[in-house]
């Protein structure tokens, strides 16, 4: 009888062991929290990198060979790229949340950091162009045209007026051209057609692919009026 009871208890214990999870299946709650935190952080980083890559027009810069492979593959460049990507993504999140002033502050801080690098001879005009365009468009959406023009003018002075002499040709930069194109369009909307044409021509110097912009009706009209004056 006792042997039967013993066998029954052993069988029950064996069955329980089958359904009992292994010791390794149990986690410290803090470990689970850490894993979730790391996952969220990685998702944020992936999304910010994807967003920044688009606004940087990185693929186009690669195709035009405007990015030095040795520089872009360096650890320093990659770390800086991730840092800027996170800041820009944070700014756009602020915009989506309706915190427009905070977004403006973030963009201005990024520009100040990039300009500080220029004093050390390391200013990256492509990075400056991206943040400038985002800030200018942000100010324009807020209806502050005076501030919008100020942002564009600051960029124009850096990449056009102060960087090269009249006899020097501009290095091709798709990002700079995009900003100058937006600046030209802004001035055109403000009925400053002559100024807009001048800026658009500078944009084409940075990226010849933008040459069709000069065929816009507004620019054709400006050129036609100039021709009539000289005839």
């Amino acid at each position: 009888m006792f042997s039967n009871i013993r066998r029954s208890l052993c069988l029950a214990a064996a069955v329980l062991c089958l359904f009992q999870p292994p010791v390794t299946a149990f986690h410290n709650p803090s470990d689970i929290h850490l894993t979730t935190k790391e996952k969220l952080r990685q998702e944020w980083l992936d999304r910010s990198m994807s967003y920044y890559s688009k606004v940087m027009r990185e693929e186009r810069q690669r195709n035009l060979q405007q990015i030095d492979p040795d520089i872009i593959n360096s650890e320093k460049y990659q770390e800086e790229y991730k840092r800027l990507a996170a800041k820009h993504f944070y700014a756009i999140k602020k915009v989506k949340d309706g915190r427009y002033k905070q977004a403006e502050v973030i963009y201005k801080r990024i520009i100040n950091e990039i300009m500080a690098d220029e004093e050390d001879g390391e200013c990256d005009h492509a990075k400056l162009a991206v943040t400038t365009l985002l800030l200018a468009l942000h100010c324009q959406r807020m209806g502050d045209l005076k501030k919008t023009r100020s942002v564009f003018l600051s960029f124009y002075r850096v990449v056009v007026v102060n960087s090269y002499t009249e006899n020097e040709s501009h290095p091709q930069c798709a990002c700079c051209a995009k900003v100058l194109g937006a600046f030209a369009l802004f001035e055109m909307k403000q009925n400053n057609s002559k100024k807009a044409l001048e800026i658009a021509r500078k944009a084409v110097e940075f990226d010849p692919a933008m040459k069709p912009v000069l065929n816009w009706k507004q620019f054709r009209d400006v050129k036609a009026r100039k021709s009539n004056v000289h005839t």
Side-chain angles (χ1 to χ4, degrees):
M1 177 180 177
F2 288 110
S3 60
N4 291 335
I5 294 174
R6 189 179 297 110
R7 280 198 298 272
S8 297
L9 290 173
C10 289
L11 181 61
V15 171
L16 285 173
C17 287
L18 290 175
F19 290 97
Q20 184 178 9
V23 176
T24 55
F26 291 97
H27 298 278
N28 188 311
S30 61
D31 292 340
I32 296 176
H33 177 68
L34 182 62
T35 303
T36 304
K37 205 172 176 184
E38 290 176 346
K39 184 179 179 181
L40 291 173
R41 183 177 181 278
Q42 187 59 47
E43 287 178 355
W44 173 277
L45 180 60
D46 291 343
R47 291 172 65 189
S48 64
M49 292 285 282
S50 175
Y51 168 75
Y52 192 56
S53 177
K54 289 177 182 177
V55 296
M56 276 286 288
R57 306 186 81 189
E58 186 175 349
E59 183 177 353
R60 175 158 173 73
Q61 289 190 76
R62 287 178 184 272
N63 292 339
L64 294 175
Q65 297 182 338
Q66 294 173 1
I67 302 179
D68 188 332
D70 293 334
I71 294 177
I72 200 172
N73 292 325
S74 67
E75 184 177 348
K76 180 182 177 182
Y77 183 93
Q78 291 297 323
E79 287 301 316
E80 176 70 5
Y81 193 92
K82 289 178 184 178
R83 188 180 67 82
L84 287 173
K87 286 189 175 184
H88 283 83
F89 193 63
Y90 187 53
I92 203 65
K93 289 287 287 181
K94 290 294 184 183
V95 173
K96 291 180 179 179
D97 293 340
R99 299 180 179 180
Y100 306 120
K101 188 62 181 177
Q102 292 183 22
E104 181 183 336
V105 169
I106 294 171
Y107 287 137
K108 285 183 175 179
R109 284 178 179 171
I110 297 173
I111 289 175
N112 289 337
E113 289 176 9
I114 296 173
M115 291 303 297
D117 289 338
E118 184 188 34
E119 295 177 0
D120 298 330
E122 298 181 359
C123 179
D124 187 328
H125 287 170
K127 293 176 183 175
L128 180 61
V130 168
T131 313
T132 294
L133 184 58
L134 291 172
L135 177 58
L137 294 177
H138 179 66
C139 292
Q140 194 169 0
R141 281 194 297 266
M142 295 301 99
D144 195 333
L145 301 182
K146 184 178 180 180
K147 188 176 289 185
T148 301
R149 178 176 282 114
S150 176
V151 173
F152 277 133
L153 280 173
S154 294
F155 177 80
Y156 189 88
R157 292 190 193 100
V158 172
V159 303
V160 177
V161 178
N162 297 337
S163 296
Y164 310 99
T165 65
E166 290 185 8
N167 296 325
E168 286 182 304
S169 59
H170 302 293
Q172 291 192 10
C173 177
C175 291
C176 290
K178 188 175 182 180
V179 177
L180 294 175
F183 188 15
L185 182 60
F186 170 79
E187 291 297 351
M188 181 64 73
K189 289 181 178 179
Q190 306 310 310
N191 296 318
N192 298 323
S193 53
K194 290 183 180 180
K195 186 175 183 180
L197 177 59
E198 178 186 343
I199 297 169
R201 283 172 171 163
K202 288 296 181 183
V204 173
E205 290 181 17
F206 280 97
D207 186 359
M210 290 192 67
K211 194 171 183 178
V213 169
L214 300 178
N215 293 324
W216 288 356
K217 183 181 183 304
Q218 297 93 325
F219 291 141
R220 291 202 311 269
D221 292 344
V222 175
K223 288 185 282 188
R225 287 197 295 270
K226 280 188 173 182
S227 297
N228 292 334
V229 170
H230 293 295
T231 55

